Amino acid sequence: MRSVAVVLPLFAFLLCGCELAPESPQSNLTWAIAVHGGAGTIDRDAPRARLQAYEEALTRALVKGRSMLADGAAALDVCEAVVRMLEDDPLFNAGKGAVFNERGEHELDASIMDGSTMRCGAVAGVRTVRHPISLARKVMTETRHVLLAAAGAEQFADAAGVERVANDWFDTERRRRALQEVLGERERTGLLAPRDRRHDYGTVGCVVRDREGRLAAATSTGGMTAKKWGRVGDTPIVGAGCYADAFAAVSCTGTGEEFIRHGVARAVTARMQYGGQSLARAAHGVVHGVLRPNDGGLIAVDRFGNIATPFNTSGMYRAQANSSGLFEVAIFGDESAEGGR
Ligand code: ASP
């Protein structure tokens, strides 16, 4: 009898092992969504109207995602639709309103991933595609590749019927001033990479758990102000700036090079898959334990609909909702309270 008492729990543990996350399904929760509009040095003393404009834009995106999910839409469709909305909003550094590279042009990156099938698609360095996220999805569904770059991606956009615009269609005065400031600072200090990320934030992303339990993630960006011509960040690198599998969907924002070095998005789900960590613990551990202060943040949702939004910058534009009535929009706030749960 005694040996059965010992062996049974051991057997159960080995059977379930670390593959099962410790968090249980939230009662009655069917869908969950989180959205971000970038992490960086966000000024708490910025004019209230400006912060409010961001809050309203995030609210509109969240309302869109919420109504699609309530109607039973698929995670992937919601991610694409929400990111398209944010790409069209000049407030954000994605699509219209994207930052300028050092040549005074725009090069856009985007990726999308379906956690239920592990299919994914991405585009890098596109200059004339109005909605890079939709082109990324076409790469996923209409090619046998994962990532298309630059001119080849644009030619594919024509073949796939994805709208193209002139490069200067993405221009905004605010981003042009930011470019001048960064280039001016570079000249004065000789520093190629200012740590001050005031001019970068605005990358957009969305993660979703839909009614069927499917997970999806999408990220889209103009990159970093005054980046080198041809520079590709983490956003179109599956596993770095975007990832979704059976455990969680993750979308990142921050200094892309760091997110690539540490494979941040996949690192979160790997901690859950191989280490049995909860989403909150895995996401917090990567953002506060692997990345350095001011590198950025991420949004993530797990298969039970739990959401995590850790960041190590002064702020991250973000919003979250679920089928149990949660509806929250936030810019500042210390997320570290989530850690270790
Ligand atoms: N991660 C983006 C990049 O490095 C920028 C950002 O999220 O602000 O291209």
Side-chain angles (χ1 to χ4, degrees), residues 20-204:
L20 289 183
E23 280 153 315
S24 54
Q26 297 192 8
S27 56
N28 301 327
L29 198 147
T30 55
W31 55 260
I33 177 171
V35 175
H36 74 76
T41 311
I42 304 173
D43 186 3
R44 272 180 197 275
D45 300 324
R48 184 64 212 137
R50 172 147 205 88
L51 296 175
Q52 205 173 329
Y54 276 98
E55 285 165 0
E56 284 167 9
L58 289 165
T59 302
R60 282 193 297 275
L62 198 60
V63 165
K64 167 93 179 162
R66 179 178 66 175
S67 75
M68 287 181 77
L69 284 161
D71 287 347
L76 207 56
D77 291 334
V78 177
C79 280
E80 183 185 356
V82 166
V83 167
R84 279 177 69 97
M85 255 183 102
L86 296 169
E87 284 176 340
D88 270 342
D89 192 325
L91 280 178
F92 299 103
N93 172 20
K96 176 81 185 167
V99 298
F100 289 89
N101 65 13
E102 66 180 7
R103 299 203 334 178
E105 297 166 348
H106 309 278
E107 292 171 291
L108 313 174
D109 301 333
S111 63
I112 191 163
M113 185 157 187
D114 177 0
S116 61
T117 60
M118 300 297 285
R119 297 177 80 201
C120 49
V123 292
V126 293
R127 298 165 38 84
T128 60
V129 175
R130 177 172 173 182
H131 290 293
I133 200 64
S134 294
L135 188 59
R137 186 163 180 186
K138 293 277 188 194
V139 171
M140 174 178 117
T141 54
E142 289 177 25
T143 77
R144 59 193 178 88
H145 306 301
V146 163
L147 173 59
L148 287 186
E154 295 186 342
Q155 194 185 66
F156 171 65
D158 289 339
V162 172
E163 183 180 354
R164 291 177 66 186
V165 291
N167 191 252
D168 63 9
W169 183 85
F170 300 106
D171 288 6
T172 50
E173 257 328 290
R174 176 178 161 226
R175 299 292 188 197
R176 195 178 292 286
R177 277 198 307 275
L179 174 68
Q180 282 153 4
E181 273 180 45
V182 172
L183 291 180
E185 184 192 329
R186 192 180 280 180
E187 218 171 277
R188 281 195 309 278
T189 65
L191 286 175
L192 277 181
R195 293 297 296 168
D196 181 353
R197 299 206 53 244
R198 240 175 333 142
H199 298 304
D200 296 326
Y201 58 77
T203 289
V204 304

Side-chain angles (χ1 to χ4, degrees), residues 111-113 120-122 146-147 234-244 265-266:
S111 63
I112 191 163
M113 185 157 187
C120 49
V146 163
L147 173 59
D234 60 314
T235 299
I237 309 295
V238 170
C242 182
Y243 195 72
R266 170 60 177 146

